[in-house]
């Protein structure tokens, strides 16, 4: 066990952690902004749009994130016309390829989470809103969406943790994330597991903070769903 | 009763001691023409042929174990295999962890780039450029030492680095000259790419040729394999294998 080598190369892991956090949070944010309208359209079964979204969700939930990332990074690079187009300024860079893959993936899972939360909204909640004489738009934005988003919090917390763990895929397309830092350490000193162990501890620490943050959000926004008398 | 039990335990222990006869050889399978994975999944190349010839010479049965470059020294240390035949240079850094046989070939390092790039392969000429290299190789160590002003991008295999050079994601790639010229420049994908001028060989970093990696305690196996290298060079087997891959002498001088 060479804990000293990990500490000596702390900067490797620090920049790796920054890379992992960047990719995870940006992908979650972009994914959420895809999921919000897409989930609503799916729940409403909007004509033409809904089947398209369905296809997108099926495609990205039906294939592993690693394969998606490989296809975007190595796959698209095989086409001369893509390399000659404006898109290449982004696709040339492994960071953008990872962000695109991760965002689309997280968006697909998010879409299903939001859709599920919307369709399971209590009928009584909506009837009460209609009875108050609110317009359809008011019901949507004052009652339905706030309620659905609150109830999607636990599942979205799960998705955030999955995205964090999934972001290790970045290291296979040359990005130096936490796992990349661990691999570099292993390769530099011919170690078998010290780099992986340090990476595991870092991922665990970030997961812990994520779980804590979502628990805080749930405590605040799901208070009304707690059983009565339980504090 | 006790006797049958004891016999049963002995039988289980014997079965668990496993395939003691076969020698497991770690190979990489992603470093053409030395080691590449064929269409049918088998591993072929110069390294593989040399490994088989040496096994025949020392009269051992050998099994090939495919391991990623990243994990190849750990695999040896954890006894997943008994020898590494994967174009691994003999360096002082690695000697601190494992032992090597005598060299079985030696070729200089090389940097390649697009023919129309106009790049100069000096550290100044490559400042601000992106250079791709396989993680944990002697070339990785060399770039880390001298090319601090360039962006060094690390790949798990040489194949991936070559793919990204062809795609234009990296400006240049550094690796062994033979692996680059035969594994890339002379293939269809390598059209339009050339070797850059320059002498990158530094004995302290690149080591004294390529040897077979052995665990430190296996001195007997090391000596038998070193003797076998001399033997196949003497009896013409080495020349025969060499001529299938290269039209030049890849062994270099004795050192």
């Amino acid at each position: 066990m060479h804990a000293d080598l990990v500490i000596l190369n702390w900067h490797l892991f620090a920049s790796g952690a920054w890379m992992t956090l960047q990719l995870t949070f940006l992908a979650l944010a972009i994914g959420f902004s895809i999921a919000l309208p897409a989930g609503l359209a799916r729940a409403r079964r909007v004509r033409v749009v809904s089947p398209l979204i369905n296809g997108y969700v099926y495609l990205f939930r039906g294939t592993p994130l690693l394969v998606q990332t490989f296809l975007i990074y190595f796959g698209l690079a095989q086409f001369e016309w893509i390399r000659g187009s404006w898109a290449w300024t982004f696709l040339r860079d492994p960071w953008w390829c990872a962000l695109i893959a991760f965002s689309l993936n997280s968006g697909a899972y998010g879409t299903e989470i939001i859709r599920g939360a919307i369709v399971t909204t209590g009928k009584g909640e909506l009837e009460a809103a209609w009875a108050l004489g609110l317009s359809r738009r008011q019901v949507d934005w004052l009652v339905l969406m706030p309620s659905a988003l609150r109830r999607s919090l636990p599942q979205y917390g799960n998705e955030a943790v999955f995205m964090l763990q999934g972001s290790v895929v970045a290291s296979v397309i040359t990005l130096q994330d936490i796992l990349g830092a661990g691999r570099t350490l292993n390769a530099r000193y011919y170690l078998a597991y010290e780099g992986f162990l340090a990476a595991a501890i870092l991922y665990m620490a970030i997961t812990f903070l994520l779980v804590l943050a979502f628990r805080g959000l749930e405590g605040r926004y799901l208070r009304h769903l707690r059983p009565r008398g339980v504090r | 009763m006790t006797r049958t039990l004891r016999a049963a335990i002995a039988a289980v222990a014997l079965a668990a001691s496993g395939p003691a006869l076969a020698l497991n050889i770690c190979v990489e399978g992603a470093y053409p023409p030395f080691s590449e994975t064929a269409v049918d999944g088998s591993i072929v190349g110069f390294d593989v042929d040399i490994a088989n010839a040496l096994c025949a010479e020392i009269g051992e049965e050998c099994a090939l174990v495919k391991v990623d470059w990243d994990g190849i020294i750990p695999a040896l240390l954890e006894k997943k295999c008994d020898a590494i035949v994967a174009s691994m240079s003999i360096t002082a850094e690695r000697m601190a962890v494992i032992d090597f046989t005598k060299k079985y070939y030696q070729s200089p390092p090389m940097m390649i780039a697009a023919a129309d790039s106009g790049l100069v392969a000096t550290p100044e000429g490559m400042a601000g450029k992106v250079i791709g290299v396989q993680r944990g190789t002697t070339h990785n160590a060399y770039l880390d030492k001298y090319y601090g002003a360039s962006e060094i991008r690390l790949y798990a295999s040489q194949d991936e680095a070559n793919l990204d050079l062809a795609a234009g994601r990296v400006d240049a790639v550094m690796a062994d000259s033979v692996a680059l010229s035969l594994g890339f420049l002379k293939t269809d994908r390598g059209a339009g790419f050339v070797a850059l001028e320059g002498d990158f060989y530094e004995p302290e970093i690149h080591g004294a040729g390529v040897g077979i990696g052995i665990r430190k305690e296996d001195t007997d196996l090391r000596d038998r394999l070193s003797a076998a290298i001399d033997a196949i060079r003497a009896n013409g087997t080495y020349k025969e294998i060499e001529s299938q891959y290269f039209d030049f002498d890849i062994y270099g001088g004795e050192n």
Side-chain angles (χ1 to χ4, degrees):
Chain A
M1 182 67 199
H2 294 277
D4 51 321
L5 290 178
V6 175
I7 294 160
L8 206 67
N9 291 280
W10 65 273
H11 59 277
L12 260 179
F13 288 94
S15 63
W18 173 233
M19 172 69 77
T20 293
L21 289 172
Q22 247 181 21
L23 285 172
T24 305
F25 283 103
L26 284 175
L28 283 170
I30 298 170
F32 182 70
S33 45
I34 296 172
L36 201 57
L40 186 62
R42 279 275 289 132
R44 284 280 152 76
R45 297 168 188 244
V46 179
R47 234 181 283 171
V48 186
V49 181
S50 194
L52 284 177
I53 294 169
N54 207 6
Y56 153 69
V57 168
Y58 186 69
L59 193 70
F60 278 88
R61 294 206 310 170
T63 53
L65 181 60
L66 178 67
V67 174
Q68 293 158 17
T69 310
F70 268 148
L71 283 179
I72 291 176
Y73 186 75
F74 287 117
L76 293 181
Q78 300 305 305
F79 299 102
E80 198 76 50
W81 59 270
I82 285 183
R83 294 214 302 272
S85 75
W86 61 270
W88 187 243
T89 40
F90 296 105
L91 293 175
R92 182 178 199 275
D93 191 334
W95 190 85
W96 281 103
C97 288
L99 186 65
I100 292 167
F102 295 179
S103 301
L104 289 173
N105 185 278
S106 181
Y109 282 94
T111 301
E112 278 306 286
I113 293 171
I114 305 260
R115 183 195 69 88
I118 291 174
V119 299
T120 55
T121 303
K123 218 172 176 149
E125 238 175 292
L126 298 175
E127 280 170 355
W130 290 323
L132 283 171
L134 299 182
S135 70
R136 192 187 166 119
R137 184 168 297 239
Q138 280 174 315
V139 173
D140 277 358
W141 294 108
L142 297 177
V143 180
L144 179 68
M145 288 312 277
S147 163
L149 286 181
R150 282 162 189 245
R151 280 178 290 107
S152 70
L153 261 178
Q155 273 188 289
Y156 230 102
N158 239 347
E159 165 57 19
V161 172
F162 277 137
M163 192 66 254
L164 170 70
Q165 318 296 13
S167 73
V168 296
V169 164
S171 73
V172 301
I173 55 167
T174 74
L175 291 172
Q176 288 286 78
D177 66 346
I178 295 176
L179 180 61
R183 282 180 162 174
T184 300
L185 186 85
N186 282 352
R188 193 176 291 169
Y189 301 101
Y190 312 115
L191 305 171
Y193 67 93
E194 281 85 345
F196 293 137
L197 192 65
I201 292 169
L202 271 174
Y203 282 113
M204 218 151 27
I206 299 174
T207 305
F208 178 74
L209 295 177
L210 265 179
V211 169
L212 216 60
F214 270 88
R215 192 168 296 165
L217 286 173
E218 284 172 33
R220 183 170 160 72
Y221 290 108
L222 294 177
R223 197 178 318 176
H224 63 294
L225 294 180
R226 239 183 281 168
R228 220 167 271 211
V230 178
R231 292 177 65 90
Chain B
M1 176 68 190
T2 15
R3 194 181 295 171
T4 30
L5 195 65
R6 210 180 289 167
I9 291 172
V12 169
L14 202 69
S17 66
L21 289 172
L23 206 55
N24 289 317
I25 310 270
C26 272
V27 293
E28 191 197 356
Y31 199 65
F34 295 103
S35 185
E36 56 188 312
T37 308
V39 186
D40 64 357
S42 65
I43 301 161
V44 297
F46 180 76
D47 281 347
V48 177
D49 289 351
I50 290 288
N52 287 331
L54 292 176
C55 286
E57 187 63 39
I58 63 173
E60 295 275 7
E61 212 173 300
C62 286
L64 297 180
V65 184
K66 188 183 169 188
V67 182
D68 285 345
W69 178 258
D70 271 352
I72 213 160
I73 289 183
L76 177 73
L77 296 175
E78 287 161 8
K79 309 202 169 171
K80 293 199 173 83
C81 61
D82 306 299
I84 299 172
V85 187
S87 294
M88 185 175 276
S89 305
I90 305 165
T91 66
E93 256 192 317
R94 289 182 181 131
M95 289 284 267
V97 191
I98 60 171
D99 205 351
F100 283 97
T101 62
K102 67 178 299 186
K103 73 167 184 176
Y104 66 92
Y105 79 86
Q106 180 164 24
S107 59
M110 182 192 263
M111 198 188 286
I112 59 171
D116 54 7
S117 67
L119 287 173
V120 181
T122 59
E124 300 77 42
M126 294 305 292
K129 302 290 176 195
V130 186
I131 309 174
V133 71
Q134 189 177 10
R135 192 197 326 261
T137 57
T138 52
H139 313 289
N140 185 179
Y142 183 81
L143 289 172
D144 278 349
K145 184 170 177 189
Y146 293 110
Y147 288 75
S150 310
E151 187 191 330
I152 312 296
R153 214 168 275 175
L154 304 178
Y155 290 86
S157 76
Q158 190 60 43
D159 281 346
E160 288 172 8
N162 294 347
L163 268 177
D164 266 5
L165 179 67
R169 281 203 180 98
V170 296
D171 298 302
V173 159
M174 184 172 239
D176 172 84
S177 56
V178 180
L180 280 182
S181 60
L182 295 181
F184 183 70
L185 292 180
K186 287 189 180 169
T187 64
D188 294 341
R189 204 178 275 284
F193 292 89
V194 292
L196 299 177
E197 289 279 330
D199 178 19
F200 310 101
Y201 181 64
E202 187 170 304
E204 290 90 85
I205 292 181
H206 293 111
V210 163
I212 298 170
I214 305 283
R215 279 186 297 274
K216 275 182 183 291
E217 65 268 25
D218 293 345
T219 47
D220 178 54
L221 178 63
R222 180 199 64 198
D223 295 341
R224 278 162 73 206
L225 285 172
S226 288
I229 292 172
D230 283 335
I232 62 167
R233 279 190 59 73
N235 70 16
T237 312
Y238 187 96
K239 272 263 163 283
E240 207 175 288
I241 296 170
E242 182 187 60
S243 63
Q244 288 169 38
Y245 295 92
F246 317 112
D247 49 11
F248 54 89
D249 171 30
I250 188 162
Y251 188 81
E254 283 297 341
N255 51 11

